[in-house]
Structure formats: structure tokens, C-alpha cells
Amino acid sequence: MVYTICLAVCMVAFRIIFSYRSYDKEILREYRTNGRPFVVVANHLSMLDPIFIVMAYGWGPKFSIMGKAELFRNPVLAWFFRQIGGFPVERGTGDTAALDKAIEDVKNGQGMMIFPEGTRGTGDKMLRMKSGAFMVAARTGADIVPVRLIYPTSTRKLKFFAPVVVKVGQPLLAEDLNMVEGGKRALRAAKTKTQESLDNLLAEYNEMVGYVPPVIEDTKPETKVESEDESN
């Protein structure tokens, strides 16, 4: 009951506060009834990202949403995020309890939402994805549904009364990814395919609206190599 009220308020208020648009949301909404386990993998730009994705999903079973533990240290925010399905994960600690909960929730039929960058990015360039979302999909035989969030402002940041775009990609089916039996190589391949899909969703939107992103040269050498088995 509380979830329904929170979702209804957000659907009304956020369409007033932001110019909200979603594309190909039917792909995501099929998972309300098709019985297939799924993990939504999305880029992360703002604290409100999970709500924008839930709005595209619409009325249906509550998501389980993995969020950074810092959000749950404020009692008001903690109450709200728990109402919409959020649960905390301690970043950078190998939080196996959060991973186990995610796996259990998917096995129990809940849709899972994970932002594998692990923190909010800036602009269109995504940070390197961590492995937690793909480990959940591998352990549960879940499809991966890529979702790209885009804030098409001059700064590419969320602003009141400015556009918010949610673009849903074609799912990467569990039987094609073969992560249950394919091991680490299949997991790495799934990460690559998901990143390609998220990049393509952004490119498709930019082409649709005629936006040409600026060319940014990365002059900083890579100083850290992240372990592939880092899960959150």
C-alpha cells in the first residue's frame, strides 16, 4: 500500500518537476508478466535514477534495488528508499550479505536493479562497471535488461524542469549469455555486451535528437587495474 502511494506521488510530481520521457519501456514492462528473472543494469547519474526507471516499469511487482549504504544513514531517505524496494550495500568492502540478498530476491521472483558503476558518474562517459550485477545474473539465470539514463542539458546533469530520458534496450537473454556454465569468461563477455548496449542506447538517442557530443581526450594514464571479481 505504501509502495503504491509513493509510486503514484512520484509519477505525478516528477512529471511536473521534470520533462520526463521514456523510450521502449514496453521491453521492460514485459517482465511484469513473462515470468523470466531479470536484472536491470543502468548507468548512474543522480540519486533519483531508480525512481525514473521504476516510472518506466510502471505498475507491477516491486523492484529490489541495490543502493549505496550512505543513502540509508539518513532516516527519512532510508524510509523512502526501503518503501520503493531499496536495500543498502557497503561499497568497496565485498559486501557478500548484500549480494546474497540480491540473489535471493531474484530467485523469489523480484526484478533487480543495480547500478554497476558503484557511484554516480558525470556526463555521458560511464565509469568502469563492477561485477556484482553480472554475478547476480549468473547465479540466478537472469536476463540482463540495459537501461540508459540521459539528462540532455548543457551540463548533462539533472535540473528541475529539464528533460529526463529513460531508454530501455533489448534484453541480453540468459541462454545467450550462458553465465551459469560459462564461468568468468562468460561474465566478462556479458559485461562487454552490456556496456556496448548502454553505449549504443546513448548514441541512438543522440542521433535521434541531432546531438553531437564533444570530443574529450583522456590524457590521464590508467593508474589502477581493478580485479574482475570485485562485486560491488
Side-chain angles (χ1 to χ4, degrees):
M1 181 65 178
V2 176
Y3 170 74
T4 302
I5 294 172
C6 288
L7 181 56
V9 170
C10 289
M11 282 187 166
V12 174
F14 282 16
R15 283 184 167 86
I16 296 173
I17 299 172
F18 306 104
S19 179
Y20 177 85
R21 296 183 179 88
S22 59
Y23 295 89
D24 300 316
K25 61 187 176 185
E26 296 79 9
I27 296 172
L28 185 57
R29 292 184 174 185
E30 286 182 3
Y31 282 88
R32 298 190 305 202
T33 57
N34 67 10
R36 293 181 67 94
F38 71 104
V39 177
V40 166
V41 174
N43 62 311
H44 194 19
L45 297 173
S46 85
M47 184 173 64
L48 301 180
D49 291 344
I51 302 172
F52 294 139
I53 294 175
V54 172
M55 288 171 63
Y57 182 69
W59 304 104
K62 184 191 295 188
F63 265 102
S64 186
I65 305 169
M66 184 181 287
K68 63 181 182 179
E70 292 87 339
L71 293 174
F72 294 82
R73 289 176 185 144
N74 178 301
V76 176
L77 287 178
W79 178 86
F80 176 77
F81 281 116
R82 290 187 191 281
Q83 297 311 310
I84 64 169
F87 67 94
V89 57
E90 292 285 353
R91 297 177 299 171
T93 64
D95 189 347
T96 57
L99 191 65
D100 289 344
K101 173 175 171 47
I103 292 169
E104 181 181 0
D105 287 350
V106 175
K107 287 182 176 180
N108 288 336
Q110 280 188 273
M112 177 60 54
M113 188 189 304
I114 300 179
F115 300 91
E117 293 169 283
T119 188
R120 281 174 281 179
T122 57
D124 290 339
K125 184 175 176 57
M126 288 184 62
L127 304 173
R128 188 175 186 272
M129 292 194 295
K130 302 180 188 299
S131 299
F134 305 94
M135 293 174 67
V136 172
R139 293 276 298 275
T140 59
D143 298 342
I144 292 175
V145 183
V147 175
R148 187 81 197 207
L149 291 140
I150 307 165
Y151 299 154
T153 64
S154 58
T155 60
R156 312 301 274 183
K157 294 181 180 179
L158 183 65
K159 295 181 179 180
F160 289 138
F161 308 110
V164 169
V165 173
V166 177
K167 198 167 187 340
V168 182
Q170 290 295 328
L172 304 175
L173 302 180
E175 52 266 34
D176 295 333
L177 296 174
N178 192 34
M179 286 193 291
V180 174
E181 299 178 357
K184 290 184 177 180
R185 179 175 295 182
L187 188 146
R188 287 194 294 268
K191 289 175 69 174
T192 299
K193 290 178 181 178
T194 303
Q195 186 65 70
E196 289 174 350
S197 179
L198 290 167
D199 291 343
N200 289 338
L201 289 171
L202 175 62
E204 289 169 7
Y205 175 79
N206 287 342
E207 183 178 4
M208 181 175 67
V209 300
Y211 173 73
V212 179
V215 177
I216 301 175
E217 295 184 3
D218 187 3
T219 58
K220 294 182 180 181
E222 188 171 330
T223 58
K224 179 182 178 182
V225 177
E226 184 183 23
S227 172
E228 282 294 339
D229 61 0
E230 185 173 354
S231 62
N232 50 65

